[in-house]
Amino acid sequence: MSKTYEYVPEPALVKGNHDFSSITALVTDINMRPTPKGWYIAFAISNMLLLVLLVSIAYLIWEGTGIWGLNQPVGWGWAIINFVWWVGIGHAGTLISAILFLFRQGWRTAINRFAEAMTIFAVMCAGIFPAIHVGRIWVVYWMFPLPNQMAMWPNFNSPLLWDVFAVSTYMTVSFLFWYVGLVPDLATVRDRIKSKVGKVLYGIGALGWRGSNRHWWNYEKSYMILAGLATPLVLSVHTIVSFDFAVSLIPGWHTTIFPPYFVAGAVFSGFAMVLTLMIICRKIYNLEDIMTVDHIEKMNLIILVTGSMVGFAYLMEFFIAWYGQVEYEKAIFIIRATGPYAWAYWIMIACNVISPQLFWSKKIRRNVTLTFIVSIVVNIGMWFERFVITVSSLSTDFLPSSWGYYSPTIWDVLTYVGTFGLFFTFFLLFLRFLPMIAVAELKGVMPQADPHNYDENGEYVEPKVEVPEPKKLNS
Amino acid sequence: MASNSPKLTDSVQLPSNLDATKTFYGIGAAGLIASGVGLFLNSEQFFFSYLTSFTFFTSIALASMILLMVHHITKSSWGTVLRRIPESFISKFWIWALFFIPIILGMSTLYTWTDPAYVAEDPIMLGKVPYLNEPFFIIRQLIYFGIWGYLGYKLHKVSVEMDKTNDWGLVVLLRKLSAPGILLFSLTLAFASFDWLMSLDAHWFSTMFPVYLFAMSFQAIFPIMILITFWLHNKGMLKNTITQSHIFDMGAWFFGFTVFYAYIAFSQFLLQYYANIPEETLWFYFRLEGSWAYITYTLLIGRFVIPFVLLLGRDRKHNKTLLKYTSILIIVLHFLEIHWIVMPVLHDVNFAFSWLDITTLVGLGGIFMGLFFSTFKKNNIVPTSHPTLADSLTKQYHQ
């Protein structure tokens, strides 16, 4: 051990010389300033894309699912891929807001509001696909176990039904969690805003919050309970999504590692999406003091870890497909890597397994431009992962005589592109009207909130442990 | 100096009257000799019992290792005062590795895939020969134990060195060890789980199996740390250092990984049960028939339902009496679960508990705990110089 290392203390979570009031101003002024021009442009583009979504859905309902590229044997295509992809993206929000909260990770406060908003909008985009893919959309309510005179019930044995419950529960809890966190900040905006209408509207949202001790007490309790509820939910949602595939007998789908592997993949893609959006927003709204490079580095580490978990799952699948010596399992994995969809497979490997490995280097982890590129690459990779799983397994199933090739139609593409319109429409509204950073929580992790460790002159001193006497060790 | 600097008021050295090294070595030797007798009386039972007990203790060491590495790379402070406990479990892992030798000697008894006659007439087994063959099996074990032995030795050594040199820069070294360590650890643990346990039933396969073994072991490490903490407190040690807040943290981890364990174990079961393919369901068939079924239900209730209900409330996560009994329950059931994985291969109809299960458990347990104490007594039982020590000492439990 000739090499020596230098200990670097943890950097402060908020950069710049901020106090509480300048943080409040930095975040909530965004909601009170006149709307910037750029926002209108972005909103217009999002609205156009949203229109594309609406037209695609309208045409789908008019004409039927025949307008999509589905065929025999590929009966599941872009709709399920997009559903899984969007739900997966939502997972990062809950991970940041709930799981990192339970693990007392102070750095989450800079991004949790933002990520939770993304969760809700992503789940909305995801929810569209199962609803519209049913063909006869006027009986879509059959998915719910409503009492009816036909005595007709959904199939409770089917994970597709579990999905309906899982996703709707997840959506509800995520929304409540987000809203509870928003209450103190809505009160802050209510107190600061000049406009009369704004005061009333934010006041309604703030539920009469006055910041009393009792309010905080209730707030913290309910926040903790919702975090506790959201944590198992984030696992259960993607677990059940993975069950959609894994309970079947299709080679390449039926494998036991699917639940944790899907959850890791979801967190992976979700973090990438948060990074993509956050890197843009911190620049535009000058929030670099709050969303610092240290935050980006920490998120990149999570991308590295979850990306490697996904890689680990690929390896296990591959190994066990061979080790199990089941003919069809072996075949599908060879076909994936060399068959008609090999291009998709290698895009997936390159994007999901190889690209995050760049983050072993501290320099790259802290490089904002490269992070931005990798975050987009990862999201492309995760889309292709779902494509590979869904399409390659179906297109080359047990009987070579029924093999087929699947390609999407223009309507598949337009529906997918349209969901970005929905997502960004809501996201832009969020950025415009709600405080995008949890101001109250952020203040709680600033050094001012913990007034300890000051010497007689009021200077901050690193806490140092007093050990009675330096022990000589009997080695 | 700031007025509220935390003080380490407890003695950080294990008094010699608490040093149980020799006692444990003695117990270990007695247990191993008794087991040795069993080797001649019933060699088949001996090897299966030995594998069960060996896996039980190894899983605890491995869970300690991953816990430490995660603690290092996340720069956590909650467990800094507890850290010497897992460190002492792994520092002499390279010696512990020698106790794998009997399993290599008993390979032909334990693993059907070592029988050429059996393999030759089974096309599936023939296909597995490139992986499941004796020389490659032994090479793999050398790799696993080499990696684990090195990581265990190094993680402990660097940590102890920090006490002596007060060089906080070593935390960087610990992180640099841990990051690739976690990667290597996951891969080796995965293949070790296939080798030791999954290949006992050479036809069966499950991609979840490594995660399952990890989840089991990780649930069991917290009860063990909790019990060692209570023992230390009972002897008047570290009473002001490991406080209610640390006990609460361990309780919370314990609870969290109880749920995680159940999630993984249930998912593995459900997916194979639901798909209902014979080559997969056979493994569960053996464990759901005859009296093995009672063990299955015991595990379900004892390892998930009971601790889940008992530890759900916030205040209960630091209730000492409750934690003590729940911890004992989980440790016993962790052993029983490994027994339940291994033994149906030998006793495929009914649950059978042999005296050799006890003697190998006592024998290997004695050695394992002896190795633990031999390390634990030599160094400060709390890291005395660490950047996160101050945070860890001042941790408060908030109602």
Side-chain angles (χ1 to χ4, degrees):
Chain A
M1 244 186 320
S2 51
K3 204 172 164 197
T4 51
Y5 298 94
E6 203 188 334
Y7 169 69
V8 187
E10 279 298 282
L13 289 171
V14 179
K15 291 267 171 336
N17 216 356
H18 284 290
D19 54 19
F20 285 170
S21 92
S22 72
I23 286 288
T24 307
L26 187 64
V27 178
T28 52
D29 278 358
I30 296 168
N31 307 121
M32 287 177 278
R33 276 198 296 263
T35 314
K37 255 201 201 85
W39 188 88
Y40 281 114
I41 297 169
F43 196 65
I45 298 171
S46 308
N47 272 267
M48 277 188 265
L49 286 176
L50 178 59
L51 195 66
V52 170
L53 176 71
L54 296 177
V55 169
S56 311
I57 293 176
Y59 185 57
L60 176 82
I61 292 168
W62 177 259
E63 192 68 21
T65 42
I67 65 166
W68 286 348
L70 302 176
N71 59 23
Q72 279 296 350
V74 186
W76 264 7
W78 276 43
I80 184 100
I81 298 167
N82 298 338
F83 163 70
V84 179
W85 188 77
W86 275 117
V87 172
I89 282 181
H91 277 48
T94 323
L95 185 108
I96 292 168
S97 55
I99 299 184
L100 294 185
F101 176 71
L102 296 181
F103 281 100
R104 308 287 185 273
Q105 295 293 310
W107 60 275
R108 68 182 264 290
T109 50
I111 45 170
N112 68 335
R113 170 74 44 75
F114 194 83
E116 282 166 53
M118 192 199 71
T119 294
I120 293 164
F121 308 141
V123 174
M124 283 162 62
C125 292
I128 289 177
F129 290 99
I132 61 171
H133 91 294
V134 292
R136 277 179 275 176
I137 200 160
W138 46 94
V139 290
V140 74
Y141 64 90
W142 287 0
M143 282 202 273
F144 296 97
L146 303 169
N148 59 63
Q149 75 279 21
M150 295 180 287
M152 204 179 63
W153 296 96
N155 180 3
F156 288 103
N157 288 332
S158 165
L160 296 173
L161 180 73
W162 308 342
D163 248 353
V164 175
F165 301 135
V167 176
S168 48
T169 313
Y170 177 59
M171 175 84 190
T172 314
V173 172
S174 295
F175 181 78
L176 286 175
F177 195 34
W178 184 59
Y179 182 66
V180 167
L182 262 171
V183 170
D185 289 354
L186 290 175
T188 308
V189 184
R190 172 200 64 196
D191 297 344
R192 285 169 56 88
I193 201 163
K194 299 271 168 353
S195 106
K196 201 93 193 139
V197 183
K199 258 201 182 351
V200 172
L201 290 178
Y202 284 109
I204 291 170
L207 302 174
W209 178 271
R210 293 182 312 283
S212 74
N213 185 16
R214 183 166 267 267
H215 286 174
W216 279 110
W217 194 88
N218 285 328
Y219 167 85
E220 302 229 326
K221 267 272 181 269
S222 53
Y223 202 76
M224 178 63 109
I225 290 170
L226 285 168
L229 282 175
T231 301
L233 277 174
V234 72
L235 278 120
S236 80
V237 173
H238 233 66
T239 295
I240 289 171
V241 169
S242 81
F243 282 175
D244 291 346
F245 298 92
V247 295
S248 73
L249 299 177
I250 306 284
W253 287 9
H254 177 64
T255 179
T256 47
I257 206 170
F258 256 36
Y261 151 45
F262 265 51
V263 174
V267 172
F268 178 55
S269 66
F271 262 75
M273 190 64 137
V274 175
L275 269 173
T276 314
L277 298 173
M278 152 182 168
I279 287 172
I280 301 172
C281 286
R282 72 196 274 272
K283 193 98 204 147
I284 292 177
Y285 291 107
N286 291 321
L287 293 170
E288 278 138 328
D289 285 346
I290 299 176
M291 299 172 176
T292 64
V293 178
D294 301 316
H295 288 86
I296 293 180
E297 185 182 3
K298 287 193 170 75
M299 296 180 68
N300 281 337
L301 283 172
I302 293 187
I303 290 201
L304 174 60
V305 170
T306 46
S308 303
M309 281 158 96
V310 169
F312 175 84
Y314 294 161
L315 178 73
M316 288 301 120
E317 275 189 314
F318 233 102
F319 175 73
I320 293 292
W322 172 82
Y323 176 91
Q325 290 288 317
V326 179
E327 224 176 311
Y328 303 101
E329 284 283 336
K330 273 197 291 183
I332 194 67
F333 280 93
I334 294 169
I335 290 172
R336 274 186 190 175
T338 61
Y341 292 104
W343 54 275
Y345 182 82
W346 292 108
I347 290 177
M348 162 186 112
I349 294 282
C351 296
N352 291 350
V353 186
I354 297 167
S355 82
Q357 304 303 327
L358 287 173
F359 291 142
W360 282 96
S361 145
K362 194 177 176 84
K363 263 217 184 84
I364 298 180
R365 284 203 296 267
R366 298 181 70 88
N367 182 322
V368 179
T369 320
L370 268 175
T371 301
F372 185 71
I373 295 168
V374 172
S375 72
I376 291 173
V377 165
V378 163
N379 266 315
I380 295 172
M382 283 309 290
W383 191 89
F384 273 100
E385 179 194 295
R386 280 67 176 247
F387 179 85
V388 167
I389 293 173
T390 311
V391 173
S392 77
S393 281
L394 286 174
S395 68
T396 46
D397 64 358
F398 298 97
L399 287 175
S401 59
S402 56
W403 287 4
Y405 192 85
Y406 165 88
S407 26
T409 63
I410 184 71
W411 294 106
D412 283 302
V413 181
L414 289 178
T415 316
Y416 176 54
V417 172
T419 49
F420 283 94
L422 179 70
F423 181 83
F424 281 109
T425 301
F426 278 105
F427 200 76
L428 286 163
L429 288 171
F430 159 73
L431 291 179
R432 180 69 195 87
F433 294 110
L434 294 172
M436 72 175 91
I437 286 166
V439 184
E441 285 186 67
L442 183 70
K443 288 175 185 167
V445 299
M446 287 168 66
Q448 288 92 324
D450 185 28
H452 293 299
N453 304 316
Y454 290 90
D455 64 8
E456 302 76 42
N457 309 321
E459 293 293 313
Y460 180 71
V461 182
E462 265 294 311
K464 214 170 158 49
V465 183
E466 291 172 20
V467 183
E469 78 256 30
K471 293 267 177 196
K472 275 279 157 267
L473 292 152
N474 41 350
S475 55
Chain B
M1 181 58 68
S3 54
N4 58 343
S5 275
K7 287 189 184 65
L8 193 59
T9 48
D10 287 309
S11 160
V12 291
Q13 262 168 335
L14 197 70
S16 51
N17 64 326
L18 293 184
D19 170 21
T21 315
K22 290 202 177 115
T23 325
F24 273 117
Y25 279 147
I27 295 171
L32 287 181
I33 291 167
S35 314
V37 176
L39 175 61
F40 293 102
L41 295 176
N42 184 352
S43 66
E44 213 178 19
Q45 179 66 48
F46 167 82
F47 284 120
F48 277 87
S49 301
Y50 189 91
L51 177 67
T52 308
S53 304
F54 182 83
T55 312
F56 173 73
F57 291 109
T58 309
S59 74
I60 289 161
L62 292 177
S64 309
M65 201 180 289
I66 188 80
L67 178 67
L68 273 174
M69 292 192 289
V70 171
H71 197 272
H72 288 314
I73 60 160
T74 51
K75 303 175 186 172
S76 303
S77 62
W78 68 271
T80 306
V81 293
L82 300 160
R83 225 180 54 197
R84 281 291 140 81
I85 299 171
E87 277 172 1
S88 302
F89 275 130
I90 59 169
S91 75
K92 292 191 175 141
F93 199 87
W94 56 277
I95 299 180
W96 177 252
L98 298 177
F99 289 87
F100 192 77
I101 292 172
I103 295 173
I104 291 184
L105 298 177
M107 257 168 88
S108 52
T109 317
L110 286 165
Y111 301 107
T112 44
W113 50 262
T114 53
D115 177 8
Y118 165 74
V119 172
E121 64 189 34
D122 186 336
I124 289 179
M125 293 313 300
L126 269 179
K128 295 188 186 198
V129 166
Y131 184 77
L132 291 181
N133 61 70
E134 293 179 39
F136 191 31
F137 182 88
I138 294 168
I139 293 170
R140 286 198 304 270
Q141 307 312 313
L142 290 173
I143 297 171
Y144 308 152
F145 285 104
I147 290 172
W148 298 336
Y150 174 79
L151 283 175
Y153 171 77
K154 203 77 182 162
L155 285 169
H156 174 255
K157 188 171 172 243
V158 176
S159 166
V160 170
E161 190 151 304
M162 247 159 79
D163 284 7
K164 297 181 195 162
T165 58
N166 285 328
D167 175 11
W168 283 7
L170 290 176
V171 294
V172 181
L173 180 63
L174 283 171
R175 282 207 294 276
K176 282 189 191 287
L177 266 173
S178 301
I182 290 172
L183 190 70
L184 289 173
F185 176 90
S186 347
L187 293 171
T188 45
L189 177 74
F191 287 97
S193 75
F194 296 151
D195 287 352
W196 303 349
L197 301 178
M198 205 169 87
S199 80
L200 282 169
D201 186 340
H203 274 243
W204 187 67
F205 54 89
S206 165
T207 39
M208 184 78 113
F209 199 73
V211 190
Y212 169 59
L213 182 66
F214 159 77
M216 272 168 70
S217 315
F218 210 65
Q219 185 202 16
I221 186 66
F222 297 105
I224 287 172
M225 284 170 55
I226 287 168
L227 289 185
I228 292 177
T229 304
F230 288 172
W231 176 77
L232 285 169
H233 279 186
N234 206 14
K235 302 288 177 194
M237 301 290 298
L238 301 184
K239 280 199 148 165
N240 302 315
T241 309
I242 303 179
T243 60
Q244 188 188 28
S245 113
H246 301 107
I247 293 170
F248 171 79
D249 280 341
M250 286 194 282
W253 276 97
F254 181 13
F255 174 78
F257 274 83
T258 296
V259 181
F260 183 75
Y261 154 80
Y263 161 63
I264 296 292
F266 176 71
S267 297
Q268 173 169 267
F269 167 75
L270 180 79
L271 289 176
Q272 302 211 327
Y273 166 83
Y274 197 116
N276 213 6
I277 312 176
E279 58 256 36
E280 289 178 348
T281 47
L282 204 58
W283 195 86
F284 284 106
Y285 174 82
F286 283 122
R287 285 156 184 83
L288 286 167
E289 290 294 312
S291 49
W292 282 114
Y294 298 117
I295 305 293
T296 309
Y297 299 127
T298 308
L299 290 172
L300 170 68
I301 294 165
R303 253 197 119 161
F304 172 62
V305 179
I306 293 176
F308 179 80
V309 172
L310 290 183
L311 296 175
L312 185 59
R314 188 170 160 78
D315 295 339
R316 309 221 196 116
K317 292 189 181 81
H318 60 78
N319 180 324
K320 287 196 171 187
T321 324
L322 191 69
L323 276 178
K324 188 167 99 190
Y325 290 110
T326 326
S327 295
I328 293 171
L329 174 77
I330 295 303
I331 294 168
V332 170
L333 290 183
H334 182 54
F335 177 75
L336 187 67
E337 185 153 3
I338 294 174
H339 188 274
W340 171 88
I341 293 171
V342 172
M343 285 302 168
V345 179
L346 182 65
H347 307 285
D348 56 1
V349 184
N350 281 314
F351 173 69
F353 201 81
S354 157
W355 61 275
L356 276 162
D357 292 332
I358 303 288
T359 57
T360 51
L361 184 73
V362 171
L364 286 171
I367 304 291
F368 189 75
M369 289 312 292
L371 289 173
F372 170 81
F373 273 102
S374 72
T375 317
F376 199 57
K377 69 171 181 191
K378 263 201 186 139
N379 308 291
N380 294 344
I381 52 179
V382 169
T384 48
S385 172
H386 195 276
T388 56
L389 181 62
D391 271 356
S392 195
L393 282 173
T394 46
K395 247 180 108 55
Q396 299 277 326
Y397 175 72
H398 294 290
Q399 200 56 49

